[in-house]
Amino acid sequence: MKKALYFLSLLVILTSCSGKKRIVKGAGDADPQKVSVVAAEKNRYEAAIQNALDFKMLQSRVKYSFGDKSLNGRLNIEHGKRLCMTVTVLGIEVARVEVNRENVVIVDKFDKLYTELTIEEFAERMNLQDEMRYEALECLLLGRIFIPGSGEAEVRDFKKMNWAMKDDNLTGELTKPRYSLEYVIDKDNRLTNTIVTAKDGSVSKSVAFMYKGYQTVEGGEFATQEQITLINDNKAVKADLTLSAPIMGKTWTSFTPTEAYKKVTFQELLTAVKNMKK
């Protein structure tokens, strides 16, 4: 239970790690070879964008794995508006995280506690107004490209990124003073990696999302297997998500606290979760 809430909270915080501005890679007015290379890169990028799942409502089973530990739950997404990730034990929901364009709600159903965070306030506190957006989290979970200050990448956004071919992969880079962001598209024109690296002196800090097991469903493709790796000063922590049994068009009910629930601060909720192990 402790690991379940920690991981779900972590996914919310990870939205602060998505971002970079782009330097446009020019084609070169007098070099036909460069023009050809850029055209090939643009075609690969456009294919990756167009292959992404087109949907309004998506529901999927989720398996969360931490080493030899695992938990089950569900992922619900209303595209561009809200999402919900739950954790279940013996088929009973014990925790959930809900995110929409304004707020984040984290619920501990075991202790009947919940906390609510305002995305805008959290973004201002971390000076990440361009990155802390609902779309960033949805893109991370579904294996999509997010452009800070703009939103989910579209075909027309190619020139906002700095692209280069590395072996059979197409790599796009974004850079900001505090961190860098890298996207990797494989030979099948699928996003395989999103890597965020913080610029913090000599300390190595990064968050990497690796996507694989792409499945074709109604409306496009989505990754069924995701691995999240956090590296802090060369110490790595990994978690895996496995998505299965996707259903399109099914909605869900948002959390509404009853008198049995107590609203607490984010720190108080984390403290309560930590104390469960004692």
Side-chain angles (χ1 to χ4, degrees):
M1 177 66 178
K2 171 187 174 184
K3 289 185 177 180
L5 280 175
Y6 176 78
F7 178 66
L8 291 173
S9 302
L10 181 62
L11 285 178
V12 174
I13 296 172
L14 285 179
T15 59
S16 67
C17 298
S18 308
K20 286 187 166 194
K21 263 187 182 178
R22 298 265 187 185
I23 300 174
V24 176
K25 183 172 182 177
D29 294 337
D31 192 334
Q33 186 174 4
K34 281 188 176 181
V35 172
S36 177
V37 169
V38 172
E41 294 172 354
K42 186 172 185 292
N43 289 338
R44 293 274 302 273
Y45 164 80
E46 290 181 356
I49 298 298
Q50 293 169 346
N51 286 341
L53 182 64
D54 181 16
F55 71 100
K56 292 183 178 179
M57 297 280 190
L58 170 66
Q59 184 179 103
S60 172
R61 295 176 184 170
V62 182
K63 181 179 180 180
Y64 312 98
S65 301
F66 317 86
D68 60 349
K69 307 289 185 181
S70 65
L71 291 163
N72 296 319
R74 299 198 75 86
L75 169 65
N76 300 277
I77 299 179
E78 182 176 0
H79 184 45
K81 295 182 178 180
R82 59 176 183 147
L83 66 81
C84 173
M85 298 185 73
T86 69
V87 176
T88 59
V89 175
L90 299 177
I92 300 173
E93 183 180 319
V94 296
R96 70 163 51 194
V97 172
E98 292 185 359
V99 186
N100 58 37
R101 302 181 70 86
E102 290 80 33
N103 301 305
V104 178
V105 178
I106 305 174
V107 185
D108 172 3
K109 290 196 170 184
F110 187 83
D111 291 314
K112 294 293 189 292
L113 301 174
Y114 76 99
T115 189
E116 187 172 358
L117 307 173
T118 302
I119 291 180
E120 183 177 355
E121 293 176 349
F122 194 70
E124 290 179 354
R125 189 181 307 129
M126 299 188 69
N127 193 27
L128 293 169
Q129 290 88 339
D130 286 345
E131 296 79 7
M132 279 293 297
R133 296 174 57 176
Y134 167 82
E135 292 91 343
L137 180 56
E138 186 175 307
C139 286
L140 285 173
L141 289 173
L142 292 180
R144 298 169 181 260
I145 296 172
F146 173 79
I147 302 177
S150 179
E152 182 178 338
E154 299 180 11
V155 168
R156 64 186 179 186
D157 293 322
F158 174 77
K159 291 185 177 181
K160 295 180 180 178
M161 310 175 195
N162 187 24
W163 296 99
M165 293 295 300
K166 297 181 180 179
D167 298 324
D168 290 331
N169 295 326
L170 176 63
T171 300
E173 296 183 350
L174 293 168
T175 302
K176 277 196 171 184
R178 296 173 58 191
Y179 52 84
S180 63
L181 175 63
E182 180 178 307
Y183 292 111
V184 180
I185 297 172
D186 70 5
K187 61 182 178 61
D188 295 317
N189 302 325
R190 294 165 170 168
L191 183 68
T192 59
N193 298 84
T194 297
I195 305 168
V196 186
T197 304
K199 299 178 180 180
D200 189 14
S202 60
V203 179
S204 176
K205 295 182 179 180
S206 67
V207 182
F209 282 73
M210 182 175 69
Y211 308 97
K212 59 182 181 179
Y214 273 86
Q215 177 178 337
T216 300
V217 296
E218 179 185 355
E221 297 180 331
F222 79 110
T224 61
Q225 299 176 51
E226 304 176 17
Q227 183 175 84
I228 305 167
T229 304
L230 306 178
I231 298 177
N232 188 355
D233 198 17
N234 297 320
K235 296 179 180 179
V237 177
K238 294 184 178 181
D240 293 274
L241 275 71
T242 302
L243 308 180
S244 63
I247 300 174
M248 303 297 172
K250 189 173 182 178
T251 188
W252 76 97
T253 302
S254 297
F255 170 74
T256 301
T258 64
E259 294 181 353
Y261 282 85
K262 178 182 179 181
K263 186 175 183 179
V264 297
T265 66
F266 180 70
Q267 188 57 49
E268 288 172 336
L269 182 61
L270 290 182
T271 299
V273 173
K274 291 177 181 179
N275 289 337
M276 290 176 63
K277 190 176 180 180
K278 297 179 180 180

